[in-house]
Amino acid sequence: MISFLMRRTIPRCRAYSSQTTSELTKVEVNEKTGVAVVTLNRPPVNGLNVAALRSLEKVIGDLETNKCKGLILSSSSKNIFCAGLDLTEIYKPDQEKLKSLWTAFQDLWIKLYGASFPTTAALNGHAIAGGCVLALSCDYRVMVPNSSIGLNETELGISPTAWIIASMQNVLSKRSVELALLQGRIYKTNQALEIGLIDEIANDKDETIKKCEEFIAKYSRVQSLAFSLTKRELRGKAISELTSNRQGDLQFFVDSINNPSVQKFLEKYLQSLKSKKN
Ligand SMILES: CCCCCCCC/C=C\CC(=O)SCCNC(=O)CCNC(=O)[C@H](O)C(C)(C)COP(=O)(O)OP(=O)(O)OC[C@H]1O[C@@H](n2cnc3c(N)ncnc32)[C@H](O)[C@@H]1OP(=O)(O)O
């Protein structure tokens, strides 16, 4: 069950009625500000499987319906924000599950990137691949020191699809996007700040959330309708490009993952992650 701490005094933020989302995503809404802290909660690394993606998508949909004031995306892990798509779901995949995974990721991106309220990522640790996409889909990113962030897909042998590139282009210069994507580069916190991949550094998780709250507070005098219409103008093109080509995008993903050389790499990659501890 999702835990809600709903405010009673902000008239535009109604109490949630849905209780169907699982513990995969926890939600707390600040009674005073109406800002929701949404916590990814799939240990050990918040790997994104279909259930986790759908859970987060539903939460964002509920926040949208309830006209909350802003979102802070965080993680229950001590040092990992999100390690991206669950690699065990894309190695030797069940084909139907693979399609569901990508479709759920597309749906989540459309909701998060297009959210009509301010969105922030409180990066209390690593944000790799799909984890970086979640961060890039928000309006603002605050990260703790000694963490890493980036899109390493080319290292995995797959190429980021148009909407993922658009999310990065929305944040970085064209030159930085080229370097980041073509090299499949993962940036340390300081480097990420230098190129603008994150907006601020915070000392710890609490401070990431505080800084995200401060960012959202800057919008308190902005009319919600003007905010959402302006955001739609800025981001709508990338979203409609995906919505008009969802099937093609899905097929590209499925073909990429099923490529024997990608599967071979994934096998070695998963082994290397496991053998780190030995
Ligand atoms: C259209 C064509 C395709 C377009 C694709 C582009 C789209 C891009 C979007 C998504 C793609 C992806 O997201 S693919 C996922 C890629 N993710 C990664 O490469 C991250 C891999 N993980 C790490 O680098 C590290 O785990 C970490 C830095 C995140 C944390 O390191 P730490 O040392 O703290 O932890 P461990 O490495 O020991 O991990 C603990 C535990 O978790 C397992 N693990 C890690 N990552 C994943 C994952 N993504 N999915 C599933 N499982 C994962 C790891 O193997 C360990 O397991 P064990 O405890 O069993 O050993």
Side-chain angles (χ1 to χ4, degrees), residues 83-87 129-130 152-153 159 164 252 269 274 276-277:
L85 293 184
D86 187 331
L87 289 162
N152 59 342
E153 277 66 34
S159 104
I164 290 170
F252 183 51
Y269 190 60
K274 302 246 173 257
K276 261 191 343 193
K277 287 178 191 134

Side-chain angles (χ1 to χ4, degrees), residues 44-45 79-80 83-87 90 102 105 126 128-130 152-153 156 158-161 164 252-253 256 269 273-274 276-277:
V45 295
N79 66 339
I80 299 165
L85 293 184
D86 187 331
L87 289 162
I90 62 176
W102 195 251
F105 196 30
H126 309 295
I128 314 290
N152 59 342
E153 277 66 34
L156 302 180
I158 52 184
S159 104
T161 181
I164 290 170
F252 183 51
F253 173 71
S256 303
Y269 190 60
L273 284 174
K274 302 246 173 257
K276 261 191 343 193
K277 287 178 191 134

